[in-house]
Amino acid sequence: MLNVQSERKRTWMQGLCLVLFLLSSTLAFAQNQVRGVVTDKLGEPLIGVNVLEKGTTNGTVTDIDGKYTVNVPKGKTLVFSFIGFATQEIKVDSKVLNVTLSEDTETLDEVVVVGYGSMTRKDVTSSITTVKAEDLNVGVYTSPAQLLQGKVPGLTIANTSDPNGSASISLRGASSLRSGEAMEPYYVIDGVPGVSLSLVAPEDIESIDVLRDASATAIYGSKAANGVIIVTTKKGNKNGKTNVNYSGYVAWDKTMKTLDMMTADEVLAYAEANDLDLSSYYDVNNPANTDWQREVLRTGFSHNHNISINGGNDKTSYNASLNFLDRQGTVRGTGMDRLTARSFLQSKAFDNRLDFSISLNASVSNNENGPTNNEGRSVLDAMNYYLPLNPVKNDDGSWYGRTTSQYYNPASLINEDRYKTTQKLLQGVAKATVHILDGLDWNLNLSYQNEQYIYNNYHSSKSQIVDYASRNGQADRSTVENIKKQMETYINWDHTFNEAHKVGVMLGYSWEQSDNNDGFGLVAYNFYNDDLSYYNMALANKISLDDISNLNSGYLLSTLRMISYYGRVNYSYKSKYLLQATVRRDGSSAFGVNNRWGTFPSVSASWRIIEEDFMKDQHVFDDLKLRVGYGVSGNSLGFDAFYSRQVYGSTGWFTPSSGGNYRVLGATRNANPDLKWEKTGMLNVGLDFGFFKNRLTGTIEYYDKRTSDLIYNYKVSTLLYPYSEMWANVGDISNKGFEITLNAVPVQTKDFTWSTTLNLSHNKNKVESMSNSEYSVKYIEMADPNINSYSNQHVQRLMEGAPIGQFYLWEWAGYDENGMSVFNDYDENGNLVGTTDAPDDGDRRMAGSAQPKLTYGWNNEFTWKKWSLSAFFQGVAGNKIFNAIRASYSDPSLLSSFGKNILAEVATEQHANDSRAQAPSTRYLENGSYLRLSTLTLGYNFGKLGNYVNNLRVYATCNNVFTLTGYKGIDPEVNLGGLEPGMDMRSSNYPRTRSFMVGVNMNF
């Protein structure tokens, strides 16, 4: 019996061993170890190529010799991918698979949007930067312009945390002596020029192309001197499916930094130490201890939601989106909300010979704030100067206040002086393209845009502002409308001869009319109560003709018309030698009758050196292209219809003997029939390159930009002209600079990738001339910092040989033996002769510029499996900032003579009787350089979830993470545009905030 059991056990063990052997053999067979070498087309091994079993995480990377080994069952597919090369998929049918990867031409073949058409990147001969949607900045932004900060070389953008503010933006330096629209780039949205950016939500953007040099912008002629920014929005797909996308976020804004003003205890200690009597400025028997910054500031909450639906087939495609943004400012009483809707429908007809599309877009926004733009009565000023010994309210619940000029309780300003603006935009666009022959298309674009602004202001019966305190409630209400109509028609012809000579021709005509500033308004005051504010002004008891006249004097209907003829020719020989020439002739009613027309030509060429035979066997460059271009563009932006015309208006009142009041009419603007276009000519030289299998690519640019016939308002003699000023063409400005862009993928493994982009820009701006034989000015004083005791003491000059933003200041020389500020004293020959306590205009000297020597942006993207991390740095270097805030609050007399608060540092850094401490001098001119971690985003991509969610991504973002700077002010990112760059003003400095966002992107 024992032997039988032993035999059975032995038989069972033998059977188990056989099963395990067969199983292991099967697994070994199933794994099928595959090996091989991955090379490029020249046979060079490629290091770090991802080798992955399709649909799995099973894979490896090639070693230093391009070799790989991976276990993959037969019949499965291996995916070979590497930066700079086209991805290959190969079915496993043997144990040895040697693979040759071809260079990825996707970047070279990507479509770049240019004026009235598009072309592939490799055929571009001018300077154009494309920023895809996924590369735009992430944050609580109200304008698409903010999305580009630090992303485009030469594009200088200074953002603001004010929800009702706008970023300052300039491209390759200032090229006009007119501010506002005249200094900003021209915007084109989906091929329609001059469209308001408020019609586009950031989530609806597909890409942004920035045309940087004149050879690219000249096709837009008289509106392109400051560059052109082309926004392309998302359209429908043609895969036969309907896609629903949702993206949204919630965000919190916190103020990063505030001024260190004296606390109540510090004020009392300072007063006692310096024998100051402040009893008339507060209740000595019941002193308060108010932190006015805390009373004004808060945590701002924002949320944004965007939903879009798109779909279609080969014949018809569509897209519709709805976006809602609600942003609360960190200053109480400030905020905005906006609803944006976009719709697009495209279809084909007549055997695909006709493409037709229509789009309807609309936007409604509401902006609310209190007084923030006037010294003294600004909330941003009052939260610093208001004495902390004063309470917010009196015992009876009314606002605490004193009848002192320019001294207002900031809590009262927030609650009793309210400003609300409603903006309504409507745009309709119709486009048609007829494919006449293969390669020959005729295009027709029609667009209509209506802008309406409704301004509502109410100063209640409790307002402390002197102008309104005695009016028992005042309501101001006005509305203005702008209408723009455009028609553009052009043909495109493209043909390739003998598979080598590619020719493209575009010819077009456009007509547009702008009816701007058509508005009116009403002012009424003395209401029975404040319940209705501005909603029923008929209940007011008084109106004033002077008030109504002042309000309506700015509403003058201005009708401008422009017609244009334009054309472009492109030639390419085997994508090796490329040539482009454009010309545009514009006629505008804005200019004098003798100079209504202007011509704007350009020519550019490029040589793709990498395509030459002598480059085939070299192993250094993977791409090399030289570009040279020159073009002329104009600047007709920012004009009304009356700049060149004789204008008469009201200059006062008179009372005849018969009684009654009648207006006096007189000249308010001289005619200048010779007023003509500002013209900007630009030479651009660029070199595009690629190394290390295009894992390192980049561009180096040099440009020389010169603007002539600058328009400025010059003083003239009333003996020769009816009015004392005249707009005339006189000056010249130059801008020269270098720009460098580098794109690299330093690390790429199976699970981890690090890609980085760096751009650097240097621009030198100089006013070449400002006078001629007829119109002459030695210099123009600019930038009044509004400092106590120094009214109209400007700190900048526009002058020949210096840049816009040239500081011209007294030189602070420290303190005299009595602790009083003194300044360098110069004689009439410009020699330093000592110091003085009473500097005059002759003692001012050039003292640095607001123009940065270097502007940069550095973006880093890290991906690990389904995780992603992006870190974006940006900043400027070599610029000066005049810290007018610090100068204003360093004045000891503010406390002793006016009962206003001052900086805490005054107690330790200067004498209490220093009456010149706040003098606008080099003491307050500071280095504006900074490096900021602008955006840090961590995301996780869940991918496809179930049958309904195609993709789900969640992310968290922090904006303005930290800033490295030596600047003593609140924030070094100040306005760098306009005619007064580099000024940090106390009335308009909205506190910089740090934002925290949590968001989600979903596709159904």
Side-chain angles (χ1 to χ4, degrees), residues 46 67 99 122 222 239 316 319 348 352 380 418 486 501 530 571 639 647 652 661 663 741 761 779 838 852 859 977:
L46 294 176
K67 297 178 179 179
V99 179
K122 65 182 178 182
S222 63
N239 60 10
T316 302
N319 183 80
K348 296 179 179 293
N352 295 335
L380 305 177
R418 302 301 307 143
Q486 290 179 295
H501 305 275
D530 298 316
Y571 171 74
F639 285 98
V647 177
N661 289 328
R663 295 190 181 277
T741 301
S761 307
Y779 55 80
N859 190 59

mmCIF file of all heavy atoms in Angstrom, residues 46 67 99 122 222 239 316 319 348 352 380 418 486 501 530 571 639 647 652 661 663 741 761 779 838 852 859 977:
data_model
loop_
_atom_site.group_PDB
_atom_site.id
_atom_site.type_symbol
_atom_site.label_atom_id
_atom_site.label_comp_id
_atom_site.label_asym_id
_atom_site.label_seq_id
_atom_site.Cartn_x
_atom_site.Cartn_y
_atom_site.Cartn_z
ATOM 1 N N LEU A 46 20.569 56.865 -32.977
ATOM 2 C CA LEU A 46 19.774 57.840 -32.245
ATOM 3 C C LEU A 46 19.657 57.392 -30.794
ATOM 4 O O LEU A 46 19.210 56.285 -30.497
ATOM 5 C CB LEU A 46 18.380 57.979 -32.862
ATOM 6 C CG LEU A 46 18.327 58.558 -34.270
ATOM 7 C CD1 LEU A 46 16.897 58.560 -34.804
ATOM 8 C CD2 LEU A 46 18.903 59.962 -34.311
ATOM 9 N N LYS A 67 20.899 51.158 -29.630
ATOM 10 C CA LYS A 67 20.373 49.800 -29.492
ATOM 11 C C LYS A 67 19.253 49.735 -28.462
ATOM 12 O O LYS A 67 19.210 50.524 -27.521
ATOM 13 C CB LYS A 67 21.498 48.847 -29.094
ATOM 14 C CG LYS A 67 22.623 48.722 -30.133
ATOM 15 C CD LYS A 67 23.717 47.791 -29.636
ATOM 16 C CE LYS A 67 24.826 47.658 -30.690
ATOM 17 N NZ LYS A 67 25.918 46.764 -30.228
ATOM 18 N N VAL A 99 15.480 50.016 -37.301
ATOM 19 C CA VAL A 99 14.545 51.059 -37.736
ATOM 20 C C VAL A 99 15.316 52.315 -38.127
ATOM 21 O O VAL A 99 16.260 52.728 -37.441
ATOM 22 C CB VAL A 99 13.536 51.395 -36.617
ATOM 23 C CG1 VAL A 99 12.587 52.492 -37.060
ATOM 24 C CG2 VAL A 99 12.780 50.139 -36.215
ATOM 25 N N LYS A 122 8.293 76.631 -43.506
ATOM 26 C CA LYS A 122 9.553 76.599 -44.253
ATOM 27 C C LYS A 122 9.576 77.630 -45.384
ATOM 28 O O LYS A 122 10.654 78.006 -45.855
ATOM 29 C CB LYS A 122 9.796 75.212 -44.818
ATOM 30 C CG LYS A 122 8.784 74.760 -45.866
ATOM 31 C CD LYS A 122 9.079 73.350 -46.328
ATOM 32 C CE LYS A 122 8.047 72.856 -47.349
ATOM 33 N NZ LYS A 122 8.308 71.462 -47.763
ATOM 34 N N SER A 222 -1.104 100.953 -43.581
ATOM 35 C CA SER A 222 -1.068 102.128 -42.726
ATOM 36 C C SER A 222 -1.404 101.849 -41.274
ATOM 37 O O SER A 222 -1.425 102.767 -40.458
ATOM 38 C CB SER A 222 -2.054 103.178 -43.262
ATOM 39 O OG SER A 222 -3.374 102.672 -43.211
ATOM 40 N N ASN A 239 -14.859 65.227 -38.580
ATOM 41 C CA ASN A 239 -14.785 63.774 -38.392
ATOM 42 C C ASN A 239 -16.150 63.110 -38.243
ATOM 43 O O ASN A 239 -16.233 61.924 -37.937
ATOM 44 C CB ASN A 239 -13.907 63.455 -37.180
ATOM 45 C CG ASN A 239 -14.461 64.069 -35.890
ATOM 46 O OD1 ASN A 239 -15.587 64.576 -35.866
ATOM 47 N ND2 ASN A 239 -13.659 64.033 -34.841
ATOM 48 N N THR A 316 -19.939 70.221 -44.126
ATOM 49 C CA THR A 316 -20.346 71.274 -43.202
ATOM 50 C C THR A 316 -19.697 71.060 -41.843
ATOM 51 O O THR A 316 -19.620 69.936 -41.348
ATOM 52 C CB THR A 316 -21.881 71.292 -43.033
ATOM 53 O OG1 THR A 316 -22.491 71.478 -44.317
ATOM 54 C CG2 THR A 316 -22.305 72.422 -42.105
ATOM 55 N N ASN A 319 -19.124 75.378 -34.999
ATOM 56 C CA ASN A 319 -18.565 75.552 -33.662
ATOM 57 C C ASN A 319 -19.356 76.646 -32.961
ATOM 58 O O ASN A 319 -19.666 77.686 -33.562
ATOM 59 C CB ASN A 319 -17.085 75.927 -33.720
ATOM 60 C CG ASN A 319 -16.465 76.047 -32.341
ATOM 61 O OD1 ASN A 319 -16.124 75.046 -31.720
ATOM 62 N ND2 ASN A 319 -16.318 77.274 -31.856
ATOM 63 N N LYS A 348 -19.888 73.793 -47.749
ATOM 64 C CA LYS A 348 -19.449 73.750 -49.138
ATOM 65 C C LYS A 348 -20.664 73.569 -50.039
ATOM 66 O O LYS A 348 -21.668 72.967 -49.640
ATOM 67 C CB LYS A 348 -18.465 72.600 -49.376
ATOM 68 C CG LYS A 348 -17.154 72.724 -48.614
ATOM 69 C CD LYS A 348 -16.255 71.528 -48.883
ATOM 70 C CE LYS A 348 -14.936 71.639 -48.146
ATOM 71 N NZ LYS A 348 -14.104 72.742 -48.666
ATOM 72 N N ASN A 352 -18.334 71.465 -54.292
ATOM 73 C CA ASN A 352 -17.171 71.899 -53.511
ATOM 74 C C ASN A 352 -16.413 73.064 -54.134
ATOM 75 O O ASN A 352 -15.264 73.332 -53.753
ATOM 76 C CB ASN A 352 -16.197 70.741 -53.279
ATOM 77 C CG ASN A 352 -16.779 69.647 -52.417
ATOM 78 O OD1 ASN A 352 -17.687 69.900 -51.618
ATOM 79 N ND2 ASN A 352 -16.287 68.429 -52.577
ATOM 80 N N LEU A 380 -6.807 104.100 -4.069
ATOM 81 C CA LEU A 380 -5.466 103.526 -3.998
ATOM 82 C C LEU A 380 -4.500 104.454 -3.283
ATOM 83 O O LEU A 380 -3.506 103.994 -2.696
ATOM 84 C CB LEU A 380 -4.953 103.220 -5.415
ATOM 85 C CG LEU A 380 -5.854 102.324 -6.264
ATOM 86 C CD1 LEU A 380 -5.272 102.164 -7.660
ATOM 87 C CD2 LEU A 380 -6.044 100.968 -5.607
ATOM 88 N N ARG A 418 -19.532 105.670 -6.899
ATOM 89 C CA ARG A 418 -19.523 104.430 -7.659
ATOM 90 C C ARG A 418 -19.488 104.697 -9.165
ATOM 91 O O ARG A 418 -20.151 105.621 -9.669
ATOM 92 C CB ARG A 418 -20.761 103.581 -7.334
ATOM 93 C CG ARG A 418 -20.913 103.226 -5.867
ATOM 94 C CD ARG A 418 -19.722 102.456 -5.326
ATOM 95 N NE ARG A 418 -19.441 101.285 -6.142
ATOM 96 C CZ ARG A 418 -18.207 100.860 -6.397
ATOM 97 N NH1 ARG A 418 -17.162 101.482 -5.930
ATOM 98 N NH2 ARG A 418 -18.033 99.773 -7.141
ATOM 99 N N GLN A 486 -16.756 96.743 -42.952
ATOM 100 C CA GLN A 486 -15.625 96.413 -43.812
ATOM 101 C C GLN A 486 -16.046 95.481 -44.938
ATOM 102 O O GLN A 486 -16.935 94.637 -44.763
ATOM 103 C CB GLN A 486 -14.511 95.720 -43.014
ATOM 104 C CG GLN A 486 -13.771 96.602 -42.044
ATOM 105 C CD GLN A 486 -12.710 95.813 -41.304
ATOM 106 O OE1 GLN A 486 -13.008 94.909 -40.548
ATOM 107 N NE2 GLN A 486 -11.456 96.161 -41.533
ATOM 108 N N HIS A 501 9.365 75.064 -59.103
ATOM 109 C CA HIS A 501 9.096 76.494 -59.006
ATOM 110 C C HIS A 501 7.676 76.710 -58.482
ATOM 111 O O HIS A 501 6.700 76.448 -59.177
ATOM 112 C CB HIS A 501 9.262 77.171 -60.367
ATOM 113 C CG HIS A 501 10.607 76.921 -60.994
ATOM 114 N ND1 HIS A 501 11.708 77.678 -60.704
ATOM 115 C CD2 HIS A 501 11.009 75.967 -61.889
ATOM 116 C CE1 HIS A 501 12.745 77.232 -61.390
ATOM 117 N NE2 HIS A 501 12.352 76.196 -62.114
ATOM 118 N N ASP A 530 -30.935 108.651 -2.121
ATOM 119 C CA ASP A 530 -29.965 107.953 -2.968
ATOM 120 C C ASP A 530 -30.464 106.607 -3.451
ATOM 121 O O ASP A 530 -29.683 105.830 -4.029
ATOM 122 C CB ASP A 530 -28.660 107.738 -2.182
ATOM 123 C CG ASP A 530 -28.004 109.037 -1.766
ATOM 124 O OD1 ASP A 530 -27.937 109.954 -2.608
ATOM 125 O OD2 ASP A 530 -27.565 109.136 -0.602
ATOM 126 N N TYR A 571 7.654 83.517 -54.382
ATOM 127 C CA TYR A 571 8.326 82.581 -55.275
ATOM 128 C C TYR A 571 9.224 81.672 -54.440
ATOM 129 O O TYR A 571 9.921 82.124 -53.518
ATOM 130 C CB TYR A 571 9.177 83.303 -56.310
ATOM 131 C CG TYR A 571 10.056 82.358 -57.104
ATOM 132 C CD1 TYR A 571 9.520 81.529 -58.097
ATOM 133 C CD2 TYR A 571 11.428 82.265 -56.829
ATOM 134 C CE1 TYR A 571 10.323 80.643 -58.797
ATOM 135 C CE2 TYR A 571 12.235 81.384 -57.531
ATOM 136 C CZ TYR A 571 11.676 80.572 -58.518
ATOM 137 O OH TYR A 571 12.472 79.684 -59.204
ATOM 138 N N PHE A 639 -6.522 108.128 -34.736
ATOM 139 C CA PHE A 639 -6.960 109.396 -35.315
ATOM 140 C C PHE A 639 -8.487 109.506 -35.299
ATOM 141 O O PHE A 639 -9.191 108.510 -35.433
ATOM 142 C CB PHE A 639 -6.497 109.531 -36.767
ATOM 143 C CG PHE A 639 -5.036 109.840 -36.922
ATOM 144 C CD1 PHE A 639 -4.123 108.835 -37.192
ATOM 145 C CD2 PHE A 639 -4.576 111.137 -36.783
ATOM 146 C CE1 PHE A 639 -2.785 109.111 -37.331
ATOM 147 C CE2 PHE A 639 -3.227 111.431 -36.934
ATOM 148 C CZ PHE A 639 -2.333 110.411 -37.206
ATOM 149 N N VAL A 647 -11.472 123.196 -37.019
ATOM 150 C CA VAL A 647 -12.596 122.863 -36.147
ATOM 151 C C VAL A 647 -12.934 124.073 -35.288
ATOM 152 O O VAL A 647 -12.042 124.739 -34.753
ATOM 153 C CB VAL A 647 -12.261 121.655 -35.251
ATOM 154 C CG1 VAL A 647 -13.408 121.369 -34.288
ATOM 155 C CG2 VAL A 647 -11.974 120.431 -36.105
ATOM 156 N N GLY A 652 -16.708 129.676 -24.663
ATOM 157 C CA GLY A 652 -17.192 130.435 -23.513
ATOM 158 C C GLY A 652 -18.638 130.893 -23.701
ATOM 159 O O GLY A 652 -19.367 130.371 -24.559
ATOM 160 N N ASN A 661 -28.055 133.998 -22.146
ATOM 161 C CA ASN A 661 -26.681 133.537 -22.333
ATOM 162 C C ASN A 661 -26.524 132.857 -23.681
ATOM 163 O O ASN A 661 -27.385 132.066 -24.085
ATOM 164 C CB ASN A 661 -26.293 132.555 -21.223
ATOM 165 C CG ASN A 661 -26.119 133.253 -19.887
ATOM 166 O OD1 ASN A 661 -25.712 134.406 -19.827
ATOM 167 N ND2 ASN A 661 -26.423 132.535 -18.807
ATOM 168 N N ARG A 663 -23.527 131.037 -26.409
ATOM 169 C CA ARG A 663 -22.179 130.498 -26.514
ATOM 170 C C ARG A 663 -21.317 131.336 -27.465
ATOM 171 O O ARG A 663 -21.796 131.856 -28.469
ATOM 172 C CB ARG A 663 -22.207 129.052 -27.014
ATOM 173 C CG ARG A 663 -22.883 128.103 -26.034
ATOM 174 C CD ARG A 663 -22.668 126.652 -26.464
ATOM 175 N NE ARG A 663 -23.329 125.739 -25.549
ATOM 176 C CZ ARG A 663 -22.808 125.327 -24.389
ATOM 177 N NH1 ARG A 663 -21.618 125.757 -24.025
ATOM 178 N NH2 ARG A 663 -23.454 124.486 -23.608
ATOM 179 N N THR A 741 15.717 83.397 -29.793
ATOM 180 C CA THR A 741 14.780 82.383 -29.318
ATOM 181 C C THR A 741 15.460 81.025 -29.373
ATOM 182 O O THR A 741 16.059 80.665 -30.393
ATOM 183 C CB THR A 741 13.508 82.354 -30.179
ATOM 184 O OG1 THR A 741 12.870 83.627 -30.148
ATOM 185 C CG2 THR A 741 12.521 81.313 -29.646
ATOM 186 N N SER A 761 15.360 89.629 -25.647
ATOM 187 C CA SER A 761 15.182 90.768 -26.551
ATOM 188 C C SER A 761 15.929 91.983 -26.011
ATOM 189 O O SER A 761 15.878 92.274 -24.811
ATOM 190 C CB SER A 761 13.702 91.126 -26.701
ATOM 191 O OG SER A 761 12.934 90.018 -27.072
ATOM 192 N N TYR A 779 12.636 120.613 -26.325
ATOM 193 C CA TYR A 779 12.303 119.378 -25.624
ATOM 194 C C TYR A 779 10.864 119.485 -25.130
ATOM 195 O O TYR A 779 10.264 120.572 -25.153
ATOM 196 C CB TYR A 779 13.257 119.112 -24.441
ATOM 197 C CG TYR A 779 13.343 120.248 -23.443
ATOM 198 C CD1 TYR A 779 12.361 120.434 -22.461
ATOM 199 C CD2 TYR A 779 14.412 121.148 -23.479
ATOM 200 C CE1 TYR A 779 12.441 121.480 -21.557
ATOM 201 C CE2 TYR A 779 14.491 122.196 -22.587
ATOM 202 C CZ TYR A 779 13.498 122.352 -21.619
ATOM 203 O OH TYR A 779 13.567 123.393 -20.740
ATOM 204 N N ALA A 838 18.268 124.642 -2.957
ATOM 205 C CA ALA A 838 17.210 125.213 -3.789
ATOM 206 C C ALA A 838 17.548 124.982 -5.260
ATOM 207 O O ALA A 838 17.890 125.911 -5.997
ATOM 208 C CB ALA A 838 17.062 126.710 -3.509
ATOM 209 N N PRO A 852 13.905 99.083 -20.986
ATOM 210 C CA PRO A 852 14.733 97.940 -20.549
ATOM 211 C C PRO A 852 15.839 97.650 -21.565
ATOM 212 O O PRO A 852 15.636 97.763 -22.772
ATOM 213 C CB PRO A 852 13.730 96.781 -20.490
ATOM 214 C CG PRO A 852 12.376 97.409 -20.514
ATOM 215 C CD PRO A 852 12.522 98.684 -21.272
ATOM 216 N N ASN A 859 10.345 79.426 -20.424
ATOM 217 C CA ASN A 859 9.286 78.472 -20.110
ATOM 218 C C ASN A 859 9.852 77.058 -20.043
ATOM 219 O O ASN A 859 10.671 76.656 -20.878
ATOM 220 C CB ASN A 859 8.181 78.517 -21.178
ATOM 221 C CG ASN A 859 6.967 77.725 -20.760
ATOM 222 O OD1 ASN A 859 6.358 77.999 -19.733
ATOM 223 N ND2 ASN A 859 6.596 76.735 -21.544
ATOM 224 N N GLY A 977 4.841 101.139 -21.638
ATOM 225 C CA GLY A 977 4.383 101.661 -22.915
ATOM 226 C C GLY A 977 4.059 103.141 -22.827
ATOM 227 O O GLY A 977 4.229 103.792 -21.794
#
